[in-house]
Amino acid sequence: LTTGYGKDSNITTLVDTRIIHIIPMVNVDGRIQVEKGNTWQRKNTHGSGVDLNRNFDSYWNYKGLNVPSSWIGDAGNQNSETYSGSGPASEPEVQAIQNFYTGKKINMVLDMHAYGEMFMWPVGYTTDPVPQNDLFKNMFNNSFKKIGYQGGSPAVLLYPTTGTTIDYPYVKHKIIGLGMEVGSSFRPSFTELEQMWTELKPNLVYILTQSHTQ
């Protein structure tokens, strides 16, 4: 966006007509553990750790939903990799992201994870389509589907989820919440990373163009 501004007409238009926020990392403490050699660190380092992508105040731990009790098991287990915390938005990292929405006119959020080559949309706790499902499918069909990504809700592609960065903006703020699992490994080589960026860039630019029209 910065190097292309003034040179690429599409990027120049995007920057001139939108406010684009980029948050490079949420789980900073977890990332430090990865850098120290714990490659599979998923949670933060609060106590036994909390999965920040299950801690958002959006049907946290399936509260208010009629779901099988087996779904709640891992989310409520402190030793689980998907432990959702002691309560909704109990973690300072999640509080910071939720507070970020205050006073801003945000109409689309894209949360990027690794890995799996998937493009996901709300909601995570059911395979039933949401009212905007056709919109999400159209965005997917015109972008990441072209490079072989799978598309759908987390419940369709992976497993049921709540309290995620995909669902929180959609459920609590009535805005578009999108998620991605990029790449085919947690630690891609430099060469792989360059190839990923080549494939992702035009599709990310397309998604940005859609943010202004929804």
Side-chain angles (χ1 to χ4, degrees):
L1 296 176
T2 55
T3 59
Y5 184 78
K7 301 174 183 178
D8 183 303
S9 60
N10 289 335
I11 289 177
T12 302
T13 298
L14 284 172
V15 175
D16 284 346
T17 57
R18 294 156 177 77
I19 297 176
I20 303 168
H21 304 280
I22 299 177
I23 301 175
M25 188 181 301
V26 176
N27 189 7
V28 178
D29 294 339
R31 174 64 190 183
I32 291 173
Q33 292 303 308
V34 171
E35 292 173 354
K36 290 180 177 179
N38 187 4
T39 305
W40 295 97
Q41 178 76 24
R42 176 187 178 98
K43 301 188 285 185
N44 70 1
T45 58
H46 180 192
S48 60
V50 173
D51 182 350
L52 300 178
N53 203 33
R54 299 293 184 275
N55 187 242
F56 282 83
D57 186 12
S58 172
Y59 294 114
W60 174 84
N61 211 4
Y62 300 97
K63 299 295 184 183
L65 298 172
N66 183 19
V67 299
S69 59
S70 59
W71 290 13
I72 305 172
D74 286 343
N77 179 1
Q78 292 188 25
N79 295 319
S80 167
E81 287 297 303
T82 55
Y83 175 53
S84 60
S86 60
S90 62
E91 306 308 295
E93 300 95 332
V94 171
Q95 294 169 20
I97 298 300
Q98 291 192 174
N99 290 339
F100 188 77
Y101 286 84
T102 304
K104 296 180 178 64
K105 295 181 179 180
I106 298 174
N107 67 359
M108 182 183 290
V109 176
L110 174 62
D111 184 37
M112 300 180 73
H113 292 237
Y115 60 93
E117 299 187 336
M118 302 176 192
F119 182 79
M120 296 179 286
W121 55 81
V123 287
Y125 48 82
T126 178
T127 56
D128 295 336
V130 296
Q132 293 81 9
N133 200 63
D134 287 344
L135 167 66
F136 297 139
K137 288 180 66 176
N138 184 63
M139 293 173 64
F140 168 64
N141 289 336
N142 287 311
S143 59
F144 294 97
K145 184 177 181 179
K146 297 178 180 179
I147 59 172
Y149 273 52
Q150 299 179 70
S153 72
V156 170
L157 296 178
L158 295 168
Y159 38 71
T161 60
T162 58
T164 67
T165 49
I166 299 175
D167 281 7
Y168 176 77
Y170 181 79
V171 173
K172 288 298 180 110
H173 295 276
K174 310 302 181 186
I175 63 179
I176 295 173
L178 304 171
M180 289 182 60
E181 296 285 350
V182 300
S184 57
S185 71
F186 280 126
R187 305 292 290 274
S189 67
F190 180 79
T191 301
E192 291 172 320
L193 193 62
E194 287 295 296
Q195 180 62 34
M196 285 167 55
W197 175 238
T198 299
E199 294 180 339
L200 293 173
K201 179 182 175 180
N203 296 294
L204 290 171
V205 170
Y206 168 77
I207 295 299
L208 274 176
T209 66
Q210 298 301 294
S211 68
H212 193 62
T213 58
Q214 310 307 328

